[in-house]
Amino acid sequence: MKFPPGFKFGAGTSAYQIEGAWNASDKGISIWDNALHNDPNLVSDGTTGDVACNSYHLWKEDIHIAHELGLHFYRFSISWTRILPTGFPNKISKDGINYYNKLIDGLLRKGIEPVITLQHFDLPLSIQNLGGWTNPLIADWFADYAGVVFSNYADRVKTWITINEPHMVCDLVYNFAILVPIVTEPWLGPFLCNKNVLMAHAKAWRIYDENYKQKYHGKVSIANNPIWLEAKTEDDEDLAELAREFGVGRFSDPIYSEEGGWPPAIEKLMIDYSKKQGFPYSRLPLFTEEEKKLIKGTYDYYSLIYYTSRLVRPAHEGEEPGPWFINGSKELNVILETDPRWPITDSSYILINPEGIRRQITWITRRYKNVSILITENGLGTKSAELHDTARIRFIQDHLQQILLAIKEDGANVVGYTVWSLMDNFEWIFGQTLRFGLYHIDFTDPLRKRTPRASAHYYKSIIKHHSLDVPHPSQVTRELRHSNAGSSKFSLCTLIGLITLGKLVSNSL
Ligand code: BGC
């Protein structure tokens, strides 16, 4: 139950989801600012990220809770328009630069390593107005932004993520318009975006590699969030493998494979399918040899995000698969299904299958030559705001157990784990109705009080003992409940809970 020496534990957040202060100082307008100010109905409870957890002002609180948990690292993202108000490098915001300087220095003073994502779903509106991720010039605009960020923080920040979840940014956005920018264009949208994201990542990686790597020895990756795809029956194994190549291979092979470029089977399939649809070219834009070379090898580790799984089977006669990836793929003629054994969560697309994380890790390990893997997100969203979050504890425990198996039984090189999220935050289209936090946020309180949940105590104990061999989650919550009987004050309850947990832990040692 022990984690390997050096294995690191962290928790994550992202700028738009926590910072608030959408127009503080000279910050420019982002696509989420713009979309939610124009149409509050995009979000289920009509909230926005205008204030969120108010981390722009309460960053000391964030450092405090990260320290209270004993985190080795804290993953947060930088708001592009806070650093570059116009989106371009003609103007650099002093206040924006200072904000992240304070956060980085504050974390380091507490011995917490900052892990920075450069772009987490939010883009400058100026760049979206020019086509966003579908305009190939975005690769240079992103590289300009990355260059400014690296030049300010590379001396202290050693772990970087260029872009969060291109799978969502490209496939979910352009096929379903569920996330901002609300643009549906399933013909070319997902695939132009796919190529441009990879080009942007590669250019940023090369800027770091050429200018900072030798001096600071940092690591840069891109955060991929595959849904683990399990064959429904043994006969579906080849199809499931093709679907994995379509899902995660399209965002990883060009970077991590020895040959570079799209997964060959997917490249061929898209050429043929596009022809059938009357296109004189592939909808998946081909790489030139030069582009292939530019992207290939632009990694220092694999940033892996895992939440859920699906079963893969061929579409039956007369069955029309929807666009990738919610229930299948027209291109592959596959249907994605849920397994009735996987419990459904309050976040409707997330069904719990902890074994999926092990299988996904093993798949990456085999395909990309035992690359070192940092799990950069994993967590449970609940509609309930309760502090005794047994389900979240179980979720973390079960996934960590599978990660340990991947390391110990399958030889995977997993170097760390990140809970999503450090605290409840603005959960995109679900607003404040879906909570992922180890810490509860009181969104009615102007001070956005941060209160630890039972899962925070549990995670803290895992970190402290570097082991899953800590009091059983149900024991932790039972003890917390018992201690809290008769009290309605959260802060008191959790304090007592903490003390009880401390006692339990020391008794069990
Ligand atoms: C995203 C987070 C989001 C989380 C939970 C991830 O895909 O990176 O921003 O809050 O999922 O939905």
Side-chain angles (χ1 to χ4, degrees):
M1 301 294 255
K2 273 262 173 214
F3 289 89
F7 187 93
K8 289 181 181 167
F9 293 96
T13 60
S14 87
Y16 186 79
Q17 294 181 275
I18 65 161
E19 285 178 5
W22 70 278
N23 59 354
S25 183
D26 50 358
K27 179 178 171 294
I29 304 289
S30 75
I31 55 172
W32 279 84
D33 296 329
N34 177 62
L36 303 194
H37 291 164
N38 287 326
D39 184 2
N41 296 327
L42 288 176
V43 173
S44 51
D45 58 0
T47 57
T48 69
D50 285 1
V51 181
C53 305
N54 203 6
S55 290
Y56 184 71
H57 296 108
L58 300 175
W59 55 275
K60 283 188 187 153
E61 293 296 311
D62 296 349
I63 296 174
H64 173 75
I65 61 176
H67 181 59
E68 191 167 68
L69 283 171
L71 297 186
H72 300 126
F73 65 90
Y74 172 42
R75 175 186 174 213
F76 60 93
S77 78
I78 288 189
S79 157
W80 186 332
T81 52
R82 206 181 283 295
I83 298 286
L84 302 182
T86 63
F88 307 108
N90 62 319
K91 184 168 190 267
I92 299 173
S93 165
K94 268 201 191 132
D95 285 350
I97 296 287
N98 279 345
Y99 170 63
Y100 297 107
N101 265 328
K102 287 185 292 189
L103 182 57
I104 291 166
D105 291 341
L107 286 165
L108 290 172
R109 268 197 298 276
K110 293 285 184 193
I112 304 164
E113 194 189 320
V115 171
I116 291 189
T117 311
L118 294 174
Q119 200 264 338
H120 194 124
F121 291 176
D122 207 14
L123 271 185
L125 181 61
S126 54
I127 286 183
Q128 187 56 46
N129 287 344
L130 294 168
W133 285 114
T134 59
N135 183 339
L137 290 175
I138 196 173
D140 290 323
W141 298 328
F142 179 76
D144 289 342
Y145 159 60
V148 172
V149 175
F150 292 148
S151 70
N152 278 281
Y153 309 125
D155 57 337
R156 287 153 291 155
V157 177
K158 308 293 176 196
T159 310
W160 297 91
I161 294 163
T162 52
I163 297 149
N164 185 64
E165 301 185 346
H167 195 193
M168 305 293 261
V169 170
C170 299
D171 292 2
L172 189 77
V173 165
Y174 291 102
N175 281 325
F176 298 98
I178 289 176
L179 287 176
V180 173
I182 310 291
V183 177
T184 325
E185 204 304 295
W187 294 108
L188 300 184
F191 303 111
L192 292 177
C193 172
N194 191 161
K195 179 174 174 187
N196 296 338
V197 153
L198 293 168
M199 292 290 288
H201 157 80
K203 288 191 174 190
W205 187 91
R206 293 201 178 278
I207 290 176
Y208 185 87
D209 195 59
E210 277 154 32
N211 301 289
Y212 306 101
K213 175 80 82 30
Q214 268 208 338
K215 196 156 173 204
Y216 300 121
H217 313 289
K219 295 178 165 67
V220 184
S221 179
I222 181 169
N224 275 312
N225 65 315
I227 293 173
W228 170 248
L229 298 172
E230 182 79 43
K232 184 165 182 190
T233 69
E234 269 177 29
D235 293 345
D236 304 327
E237 188 43 56
D238 287 350
L239 192 61
E241 187 59 12
L242 194 68
R244 288 171 206 137
E245 292 187 353
F246 193 74
V248 59
R250 242 184 323 125
F251 294 96
S252 303
D253 272 23
I255 299 173
Y256 297 91
S257 74
E258 273 188 15
E259 306 72 26
W262 303 117
I266 299 299
E267 181 170 304
K268 177 166 184 330
L269 183 142
M270 286 303 296
I271 292 172
D272 295 347
Y273 194 80
S274 306
K275 210 179 271 168
K276 256 200 252 159
Q277 292 177 305
F279 280 91
Y281 44 78
S282 175
R283 287 166 56 213
L284 181 69
L286 302 181
F287 291 116
T288 62
E289 280 311 309
E290 207 179 315
E291 288 168 340
K292 250 193 214 175
K293 237 171 84 191
L294 183 98
I295 299 172
K296 196 176 84 160
T298 54
Y299 67 91
D300 302 297
Y301 68 100
Y302 196 108
S303 161
L304 173 65
I305 292 176
Y306 174 81
Y307 286 96
T308 194
S309 299
R310 288 293 184 274
L311 299 175
V312 181
R313 67 160 173 83
H316 302 315
E317 196 65 28
E319 209 176 12
E320 244 313 272
W324 184 256
F325 59 81
I326 292 196
N327 68 357
S329 155
K330 288 185 200 307
E331 289 84 358
L332 306 178
N333 201 32
V334 304
I335 299 287
L336 300 185
E337 276 183 359
T338 57
D339 186 323
R341 287 168 303 177
W342 301 336
I344 302 173
T345 71
D346 289 342
S347 168
S348 50
Y349 90 97
I350 299 179
L351 288 97
I352 305 177
N353 178 30
E355 281 164 24
I357 199 169
R358 176 178 180 187
R359 318 253 352 224
Q360 187 66 66
I361 290 170
T362 312
W363 188 86
I364 291 167
T365 298
R366 286 208 195 109
R367 194 170 178 94
Y368 305 125
K369 305 256 172 324
N370 212 5
V371 60
S372 87
I373 299 172
L374 176 63
I375 309 292
T376 43
E377 271 185 50
N378 176 242
L380 179 69
T382 57
K383 285 191 179 141
S384 157
E386 69 171 343
L387 294 181
H388 305 296
D389 54 344
T390 334
R392 185 168 292 105
I393 288 176
R394 164 109 310 133
F395 187 98
I396 294 171
Q397 183 197 37
D398 290 349
H399 285 80
L400 279 173
Q401 217 155 44
Q402 293 297 322
I403 291 169
L404 270 180
L405 287 170
I407 298 170
K408 298 192 174 180
E409 301 284 320
D410 312 335
N413 183 11
V414 185
V415 296
Y417 174 80
T418 315
V419 170
W420 187 271
S421 172
L422 176 61
M423 57 195 155
D424 296 338
N425 53 50
F426 178 79
E427 179 49 37
W428 308 114
I429 56 164
F430 299 104
Q432 293 166 2
T433 62
L434 205 55
R435 294 170 180 263
F436 278 83
L438 293 170
Y439 279 70
H440 168 273
I441 295 281
D442 182 354
F443 288 108
T444 62
D445 175 359
L447 290 177
R448 297 295 194 269
K449 186 167 167 21
R450 287 122 166 92
T451 307
R453 292 200 163 95
S455 56
H457 302 306
Y458 175 63
Y459 195 47
K460 179 183 169 116
S461 170
I462 292 173
I463 298 172
K464 182 167 171 220
H465 296 279
H466 210 69
S467 167
L468 265 186
D469 194 12
V470 294
H472 192 271
S474 59
Q475 202 178 350
V476 174
T477 36
R478 203 169 44 237
E479 287 299 326
L480 278 165
R481 274 211 184 95
H482 178 68
S483 325
N484 295 341
S487 165
S488 62
K489 289 224 170 73
F490 284 155
S491 48
L492 184 62
C493 315
T494 43
L495 180 66
I496 296 169
L498 193 58
I499 295 165
T500 315
L501 177 62
K503 275 195 196 139
L504 273 171
V505 170
S506 47
N507 287 349
S508 74
L509 286 176

